[in-house]
Amino acid sequence: MKFALGIVGALMVANFSLATMCPHPVDLVFLLDSSESFRTSGFEEAKTFVQNVVNYFTLGEDDTRVGVVTYSNIDAQVTRIKLNDNYTRVELLTGIRNIPYDRGHTFTGLGLDHVRNYSFLEENGRRSNTLDFLILLTDDEPEDSVSGPAQSVRDMGITVFAVGVGEESDISQATLETIAGDPSRVFRLTDHDFLVDDSHPRIIREAICDATQCPALTAPDNGALSTTATSYQTVVTFTCNTGYVLNGAVTATCTADITWTNPVPTCTPIQCPILTAPANGALSTTVTSYQTVVNFTCNTGYVLNGTTNTTCQADGTWDNPVPTCTPANLCEPHPCDNNATCRLLGSTFECSCDVGLVGDGFNCSVVQCHVLTAPVNGALSPTGRRQYQDVVTFTCNPGYSLVGTASLTCLLNGTWSASPPTCNRKAPIPLCGALTAL
Ligand SMILES: *[C@@H]1O[C@H](CO)[C@@H](O)[C@H](O)[C@H]1NC(C)=O
Ligand SMILES: *[C@@H]1O[C@H](CO)[C@@H](O)[C@H](O)[C@H]1NC(C)=O
Ligand SMILES: *[C@@H]1O[C@H](CO)[C@@H](O)[C@H](O)[C@H]1NC(C)=O
Ligand SMILES: *[C@@H]1O[C@H](CO)[C@@H](O)[C@H](O)[C@H]1NC(C)=O
Ligand SMILES: *[C@@H]1O[C@H](CO)[C@@H](O)[C@H](O)[C@H]1NC(C)=O
Ligand SMILES: *[C@@H]1O[C@H](CO)[C@@H](O)[C@H](O)[C@H]1NC(C)=O
Ligand SMILES: *[C@@H]1O[C@H](CO)[C@@H](O)[C@H](O)[C@H]1NC(C)=O
Ligand SMILES: *[C@@H]1O[C@H](CO)[C@@H](O)[C@H](O)[C@H]1NC(C)=O
């Protein structure tokens, strides 16, 4: 329990210090004008100002490191404190207070050159993973050119702030902007007293601290980010739109070296399972990404059983199953003659005429036998019958007798069941008595 309370206490202290101190480590070098114009008291105030700014940062070898350079005459650029000289607050504040005042001229360009030549070297304490800041403090127009030296310093990746003490006639806005490279990093303190009051150093030190921003992030295509904030320790959460999956890290955090811990992820469409065409059919596309519509078709002679299309849904499933292609029932609608029967033969069909009918299946007509005619000396009944199953009966005139089959039936194969009969004259009754009489 005691242990737990201790942790709570530590967290509260940490929160408190975040609110009142710059929360991230930087490499901070001050370039102090030590020329005649400051005068002894002004230079003491300038050192108080440096202390005021430094106090806003968490100091230490692994936290913010501070260096101080003074400049005045053509031969007087002096590194007073290197970035890796004094790490603790007491050492630094003492070291700053002990910096002597030079007097002399204002060769600001040479001061900037010195910073470039010495202060931001790795051997002199510059770190590669922290932001570098140079804060120039001056109260007089330079006696040499500053634009080239300042540009060179900025080209090293160092963010330059220019603090001008005095009026425009003492140090011009144009000069300060030339040094800082950006008006937003120029500060003017019209009175030396402003170096030591409460508010002015605070505005400047907060501006230095706020300059630690990671690059702006843009939302991934088909996705979004939780915040556009870019300040140190910001945690950005990435999301993808419905139907898209996130490839990469879900969050990125702005670190002390003003880079994000992770790149912006990509959002790629959800993929549904690969589809195979139905047997005896085809599909319109093999694309399987979210919202793809796949159409199905069946080969000729087959009919589609199921739905004709399917769509890849946001959950990675298809909304309809692949249909089947079943052989088309070619006998429907009935393609044959009314009096014929349709029969499937694989992918084709056949029409066969019903019993008693002949034809090609598309035109069936009744089986007909050849026309029968009455025999000589005889007759047939009924007349004109010749269709399948018709029965025709022959008779002979008186005096004639029928030889053959009396009734013929028209058979299925179009022939009569027998040959037609004939009528033969009956033999005369022998007149035996008469002949004897003769
Ligand atoms: C600052 O560092 C220098 C060189 O490392 C050392 O000589 C000096 O004593 C330090 N200053 C303080 C106040 O500790
Ligand atoms: C800076 O270094 C250059 C050579 O790299 C030298 O010419 C110049 O005098 C140096 N300036 C200062 C102020 O140290
Ligand atoms: C799928 O069918 C629809 C009509 O139903 C058509 O507009 C679309 O172009 C087809 N898609 C493909 C990939 O053939
Ligand atoms: C269509 O498919 C369903 C099941 O998938 C099946 O029950 C049905 O008999 C099929 N219909 C035809 C005409 O093949
Ligand atoms: C899918 O097919 C149905 C009919 O089966 C049709 O109404 C719908 O428009 C089709 N969808 C697409 C995207 O082609
Ligand atoms: C053929 O079929 C039609 C109707 O199905 C029927 O009226 C007709 O009598 C039939 N013809 C024969 C010769 O069977
Ligand atoms: C059907 O066959 C009969 C005799 O074979 C013929 O007279 C008739 O013209 C045919 N009808 C058609 C539509 O082919
Ligand atoms: C017709 O059918 C009958 C009885 O089945 C048979 O005896 C006769 O030989 C057949 N005729 C022909 C020409 O096929």
Side-chain angles (χ1 to χ4, degrees):
M1 198 58 201
K2 201 173 177 189
F3 180 69
L5 279 175
I7 287 177
V8 171
L11 285 174
M12 288 173 66
V13 169
N15 281 339
F16 177 74
S17 62
L18 280 185
T20 56
M21 302 191 75
C22 186
H24 37 273
V26 295
D27 287 342
L28 208 56
V29 171
F30 292 84
L31 179 57
L32 296 187
D33 177 351
S34 185
S35 65
E36 179 65 36
S37 52
F38 255 106
R39 296 187 306 280
T40 305
S41 65
F43 192 71
E44 287 306 308
E45 287 165 343
K47 290 192 290 184
T48 303
F49 169 83
V50 172
Q51 288 179 323
N52 255 328
V53 173
V54 163
N55 261 333
Y56 186 52
F57 293 84
T58 306
L59 304 171
E61 184 171 2
D62 296 325
D63 288 301
T64 289
R65 297 183 179 185
V66 174
V68 183
V69 172
T70 59
Y71 72 93
S72 55
N73 286 338
I74 205 158
D75 58 351
Q77 301 88 37
V78 187
T79 293
R80 301 294 183 179
I81 302 170
K82 292 191 290 184
L83 286 168
N84 55 359
D85 270 348
N86 308 108
Y87 293 129
T88 70
R89 191 170 303 275
V90 170
E91 280 175 1
L92 269 173
L93 297 182
T94 307
I96 292 164
R97 183 53 56 199
N98 290 341
I99 293 171
Y101 179 40
D102 289 336
R103 294 191 177 78
H105 290 272
T106 315
F107 286 94
T108 308
L110 288 175
L112 290 164
D113 279 346
H114 181 89
V115 164
R116 173 170 56 93
N117 282 0
Y118 300 106
S119 302
F120 286 103
L121 301 183
E122 199 183 329
E123 70 211 57
N124 290 333
R126 185 194 193 185
R127 291 165 293 178
S128 58
N129 62 343
T130 53
L131 263 197
D132 301 307
F133 290 101
L134 173 68
I135 297 105
L136 168 74
L137 189 66
T138 182
D139 71 347
D140 218 351
E141 273 304 313
E143 293 175 47
D144 56 356
S145 167
V146 290
S147 65
Q151 182 67 52
S152 298
V153 168
R154 295 198 305 268
D155 286 349
M156 292 175 74
I158 296 156
T159 305
V160 179
F161 286 79
V163 182
V165 183
E167 307 284 352
E168 172 76 14
S169 54
D170 300 313
I171 170 78
S172 74
Q173 185 72 10
T175 299
L176 294 172
E177 287 182 14
T178 298
I179 293 167
D182 188 312
S184 71
R185 294 195 297 271
V186 169
F187 295 89
R188 177 177 297 281
L189 306 175
T190 49
D191 193 300
H192 280 72
D193 289 345
F194 293 160
L195 285 166
V196 295
D197 70 11
D198 232 17
S199 58
H200 292 89
R202 198 184 74 223
I203 291 167
I204 293 166
R205 70 196 191 185
E206 284 176 359
I208 294 166
C209 184
D210 286 350
T212 301
Q213 301 272 332
C214 281
L217 296 177
T218 49
D221 286 347
N222 300 305
L225 32 80
S226 60
T227 175
T228 53
T230 55
S231 55
Y232 173 66
Q233 285 183 331
T234 297
V235 179
V236 178
T237 303
F238 304 104
T239 50
C240 288
N241 297 347
T242 305
Y244 292 83
V245 275
L246 188 142
N247 307 289
V250 175
T251 63
T253 306
C254 180
T255 59
D257 61 353
I258 63 155
T259 61
W260 296 99
T261 51
N262 294 306
V264 176
T266 56
C267 293
T268 52
I270 277 177
Q271 298 293 317
C272 282
I274 292 172
L275 295 177
T276 48
N280 301 304
L283 34 76
S284 60
T285 177
T286 54
V287 175
T288 57
S289 50
Y290 173 57
Q291 286 179 327
T292 298
V293 178
V294 178
N295 295 335
F296 299 105
T297 50
C298 288
N299 298 345
T300 311
Y302 291 84
V303 287
L304 189 142
N305 181 17
T307 46
T308 57
N309 58 49
T310 189
T311 304
C312 180
Q313 305 176 110
D315 66 357
T317 63
W318 296 101
D319 66 345
N320 292 316
V322 176
T324 55
C325 291
T326 53
N329 187 349
L330 298 172
C331 288
E332 274 173 22
H334 201 286
C336 307
D337 187 88
N338 278 342
N339 308 91
T341 301
C342 181
R343 196 160 64 92
L344 288 173
L345 294 173
S347 59
T348 178
F349 66 93
E350 182 189 73
C351 293
S352 49
C353 291
D354 295 340
V355 174
L357 305 177
V358 287
D360 57 9
F362 293 98
N363 180 6
C364 296
S365 51
V366 182
V367 168
Q368 291 194 324
C369 292
H370 65 82
V371 177
L372 292 174
T373 51
V376 178
N377 300 310
L380 55 79
S381 169
T383 54
R385 294 293 176 86
R386 53 183 292 203
Q387 295 189 347
Y388 172 57
Q389 286 182 329
D390 282 351
V391 177
V392 175
T393 302
F394 288 80
T395 52
C396 290
N397 295 343
Y400 293 84
S401 59
L402 187 138
V403 177
T405 308
S407 289
L408 304 190
T409 304
C410 181
L411 299 177
L412 193 54
N413 61 9
T415 63
W416 292 101
S417 56
S419 299
T422 54
C423 292
N424 291 355
R425 190 178 183 86
K426 288 176 182 170
I429 299 160
L431 297 172
C432 297
L435 190 63
T436 318
L438 284 173

